[in-house]
Amino acid sequence: MALHIVTHPLVQHKLSLMRNKGTGVKEFRELTEETAMLICYEAMRDLPLKTVKLETPQGWSETKIISGKKLAFVPILRAGLGLIEGVTSLIPAAKIGHIGIFCEPGTHDAVKYYSKMPDDIQEREVVVIDAMLATGSSAIAAIQDLKDMGVKNIKFLCILCSPEGKNALEAAHPDVDMFIGALDEKLNEHSYIVPGLGDAGDRIFGTK
Ligand code: URA
């Protein structure tokens, strides 16, 4: 597994604004979308290109376009939804699947309660998306679910990650590359990322 930490100054700046507990819902939501878009830009670096010939105002030219690779984004409900506008602003033609997973309080076992994927999901490169990778159990279960459906090519994208989550995901799915905004210090006793940014879902949707 390759870990890509997107250390671009714009990502670091936006992350600092997101970490600030005084940042309100509207700004937090916008920052989530913008940061997701910047991380996605890096995650798409290996998209294949093909050469096309076209006529510019100055004459004929051979130029590159993306060679029609089929993509799907799969946000993990609920916080992953907050990143979707950002990533689809870069790849508007991508299909979107949804997976709902909650973690049992106490055991942190992942329980799937919802799944709806594009019919041709197994033919697509899939980017699983969540706001935070804390214990890693939701992401591990979501990726396993996609592999069980026959998906071969999977990436994982999130805003913030804990070392515990990174290690767990790496152990469970060593073939999945991760694209993140920052690797934080640790998890606390409630499985929140420290320093983190609090509950991403609550901050995106304003539920607290
Ligand atoms: N989920 C969150 O929203 N925040 C954390 O810190 C950990 C998991």
Side-chain angles (χ1 to χ4, degrees):
M1 181 198 80
L3 174 69
H4 303 262
I5 307 179
V6 182
T7 55
H8 192 286
L10 285 171
V11 173
Q12 295 193 50
H13 179 78
K14 289 176 193 299
L15 270 179
S16 297
L17 298 174
M18 293 174 78
R19 292 184 192 279
N20 184 349
K21 72 176 195 178
T23 299
V25 173
K26 175 180 179 291
E27 197 187 351
F28 190 90
R29 198 179 291 145
E30 290 166 357
L31 288 162
T32 303
E33 289 168 8
E34 291 162 4
T35 307
M37 190 260 282
L38 293 167
I39 299 172
C40 184
Y41 174 79
E42 197 53 41
M44 295 297 114
R45 189 171 282 283
D46 64 351
L47 282 180
L49 294 169
K50 66 179 178 191
T51 303
V52 291
K53 201 169 174 195
L54 50 78
E55 192 174 12
T56 77
Q58 270 66 251
W60 285 93
S61 172
E62 289 200 345
T63 59
K64 306 277 186 194
I65 59 168
I66 291 167
S67 70
K69 191 158 187 178
K70 290 173 155 189
L71 269 166
F73 294 117
V74 176
I76 301 177
L77 306 181
R78 119 188 114 132
L81 284 178
L83 287 74
I84 281 296
E85 286 290 326
V87 297
T88 54
S89 69
L90 285 185
I91 323 249
K95 290 194 174 175
I96 300 174
H98 293 86
I99 188 159
I101 294 178
F102 70 85
C103 289
E104 288 280 13
T107 64
H108 293 293
D109 287 343
V111 181
K112 183 174 82 171
Y113 63 89
Y114 183 76
S115 172
K116 183 77 181 167
M117 296 296 154
D119 286 345
D120 59 352
I121 190 76
Q122 70 284 349
E123 291 160 29
R124 292 181 175 265
E125 171 168 341
V126 173
V127 186
V128 176
I129 292 185
D130 208 348
M132 312 286 270
L133 186 75
T135 64
S137 51
S138 304
I140 290 168
I143 291 168
Q144 190 57 54
D145 219 50
L146 288 161
K147 286 184 175 176
D148 292 345
M149 291 173 204
V151 180
K152 302 265 170 338
N153 200 338
I154 302 176
K155 291 175 177 168
F156 179 77
L157 184 158
C158 71
I159 305 259
L160 282 189
C161 174
S162 72
E164 294 87 339
K166 173 205 154 270
N167 291 339
L169 186 55
E170 187 168 28
H173 298 295
D175 54 314
V176 172
D177 284 356
M178 291 178 63
F179 296 83
I180 68 174
L183 181 62
D184 271 13
E185 195 186 316
K186 61 178 181 185
L187 286 183
N188 70 12
E189 64 279 19
H190 305 294
S191 296
Y192 274 82
I193 297 176
V194 179
L197 46 72
D199 187 302
D202 281 341
R203 296 198 65 191
I204 292 164
F205 298 111
T207 39
K208 234 175 220 155

